[in-house]
Amino acid sequence: MTQVEIGRGKTGRRAYALDEIGLVPSRRTRDPEEVSIAWQIDAYRFELPVVVAPMDSVVSPATAIEIGRLGGLAPLDLEGLWTRYEDPLPLLEECAALDAAAATKRLQEIYAAPIQEELIGRRIEEIRAAGVTAAVRLSPQRTVQYHKAVIDAGVDIFVIRGTTVSAEHVSGKAEPLNLKQFIYELDVPVIVGGCATHTAALHLMRTGAAGVLVGFGGGASHTTRNVLGVAVPMATAISDVAAARRDYMDESGGRYVHVIADGGMGTSGDIAKAIACGADAVMVGSPLARAIEAPGHGFHWGSEAHHADLPRGRRVEFGQVGTLEQILHGPSSVADGSMNLMGALKRTMASTGYSDIKEFQRVEVVVAPVQR
């Protein structure tokens, strides 16, 4: 791997973002209607390789149900407004109407309300009652405290998601979450992340996770690079973690861990390139924050935006372009890759000659200059 000299005392590996690569057609093409974009994690099959980012601006119980009906998966954030308030709808409207200069401070105040454990079960039961796969998200810091309520409510898939999640968190203040023991004791598939390197991903796969999130999430609403200086371009990160998946399969005798690209994918082209780099599915937020049904009313923010001590995100205005169904399945009325995301993915796979997700991960990729 090529090392670039940053200065006399430091070198770094050249990494690539999704908009720096391009996909190369093969010798054959296919009919888009004959392409399958389905994927399966554990016993759960989804017709769309889409996991919606667990953010209050995108996922409510109602949108989780609608996304499930449309073929995707939408984990509800159990540290968001839906478990802090009986009726968060007025607060979500307020969040969308805030003046930009006052948004961060007011978000911190709104999210300072305590999590009500009884609401955890109620929200999960609401999603399950609709007959779709129920998934929820907790941070590593709160997983031990609330996981029993989650399991008792009958959740199907458990997502442990933070900015950076490791299998070897060191703390002198409290007993850290032992991911390997925790996942072993659960009776549901666990998706965990984020991570961005081969080594970190391999350690997470060894905990028994069913899926690993690649990236630091947040995407358009994230300011982690500005605040912490932490950033790994997604094309390289996904490719590195996909290599870890291959190595772990050899190490474990064939156990397959799903790779889910998390963050930084705003268009259908980004989604296609993330899968081409090795992702089995993508976790997206901003494309669906534009939906008429989205709880954020055209605004988008994540949990980092209201961190009590060090906010690492912001509330971003995207506006509204159409329904969830139009954004995922079309028809599209724009030519910028923000609508009919799944139709575009099928067409990309058909144009490059591949019939399913696993085949498409073998597509040729080139480094291409960014064109604006």
Side-chain angles (χ1 to χ4, degrees), residues 28-368:
R28 66 165 61 91
T29 56
R30 297 182 182 274
D31 187 329
E33 297 304 316
E34 297 177 2
V35 169
S36 171
I37 55 174
W39 74 299
Q40 182 164 329
I41 184 166
D42 204 84
Y44 302 97
R45 176 184 167 90
F46 303 96
E47 295 307 311
L48 310 181
V50 172
V51 182
V52 183
M55 299 174 168
D56 280 343
S57 55
V58 186
V59 182
S60 66
T63 56
I65 292 168
E66 178 64 6
I67 291 292
R69 185 185 70 80
L70 293 171
L73 177 68
L76 183 69
D77 183 10
L78 294 185
E79 298 174 30
L81 298 181
W82 290 95
T83 56
R84 296 176 191 266
Y85 298 93
E86 287 274 351
D87 180 15
L89 293 178
L91 289 169
L92 286 163
E93 292 178 3
E94 180 186 348
C95 290
L98 289 171
D99 178 76
T104 297
K105 185 175 187 299
R106 181 56 182 147
L107 286 173
Q108 289 174 318
E109 293 170 351
I110 291 172
Y111 281 88
I115 295 171
Q116 302 179 48
E117 193 164 322
E118 65 273 14
L119 288 177
I120 292 177
R122 196 184 308 174
R123 304 307 185 199
I124 294 172
E125 289 166 8
E126 184 179 345
I127 297 169
R128 282 179 55 85
V132 301
T133 303
V136 297
R137 172 264 178 188
L138 282 171
S139 66
Q141 294 83 358
R142 287 197 166 106
T143 293
V144 172
Q145 183 178 359
Y146 294 115
H147 78 276
K148 188 176 186 305
V150 171
I151 299 303
D152 289 347
V155 76
D156 296 311
I157 296 177
F158 199 152
V159 179
I160 302 175
R161 181 180 187 253
T163 301
T164 304
V165 177
S166 73
E168 298 181 10
H169 178 68
V170 178
S171 174
K173 295 182 178 179
E175 183 68 25
L177 173 65
N178 185 326
L179 273 175
K180 188 169 186 177
Q181 180 181 346
F182 178 80
I183 292 173
Y184 177 79
E185 293 174 352
L186 289 182
D187 198 25
V188 299
V190 176
I191 298 171
V192 62
C195 67
T197 68
H198 178 280
T199 301
L202 198 56
H203 279 276
L204 288 179
M205 291 172 184
R206 289 168 177 161
T207 66
V212 171
L213 298 172
V214 185
F216 302 121
S221 67
H222 218 296
T223 59
T224 296
R225 180 168 186 161
N226 294 338
V227 178
L228 301 182
V230 175
V232 181
M234 283 295 285
T236 296
I238 297 166
S239 299
D240 284 352
V241 175
R245 174 184 59 204
R246 180 195 61 218
D247 293 344
Y248 179 68
M249 285 184 68
D250 292 341
E251 173 187 303
S252 63
R255 183 173 182 270
Y256 189 91
V257 179
H258 293 270
V259 172
I260 303 169
D262 180 9
M265 290 161 290
T267 67
S268 53
D270 293 334
I271 291 171
K273 287 187 279 189
I275 293 173
C277 287
D280 298 289
V282 296
M283 178 172 276
V284 295
S286 59
L288 299 176
R290 298 179 172 94
I292 293 169
E293 305 97 320
H297 303 281
F299 285 82
H300 186 43
W301 66 92
S303 58
E304 298 84 4
H306 52 77
H307 192 280
D309 301 317
L310 188 65
R312 301 180 305 282
R314 58 178 178 263
R315 189 198 57 156
V316 181
E317 183 176 8
F318 285 115
Q320 297 174 317
V321 298
T323 65
L324 286 169
E325 185 164 8
Q326 288 173 321
I327 291 171
L328 288 172
H329 293 300
S332 174
S333 57
V334 294
D336 60 3
S338 64
M339 297 184 72
N340 197 4
L341 303 178
M342 297 298 99
L345 175 60
K346 284 185 175 182
R347 188 165 293 276
T348 300
M349 293 169 60
S351 299
T352 53
Y354 297 92
S355 61
D356 60 39
I357 294 291
K358 294 309 298 178
E359 280 191 2
F360 183 54
Q361 290 171 348
R362 301 198 299 266
V363 67
E364 183 182 351
V365 174
V366 295
V367 176

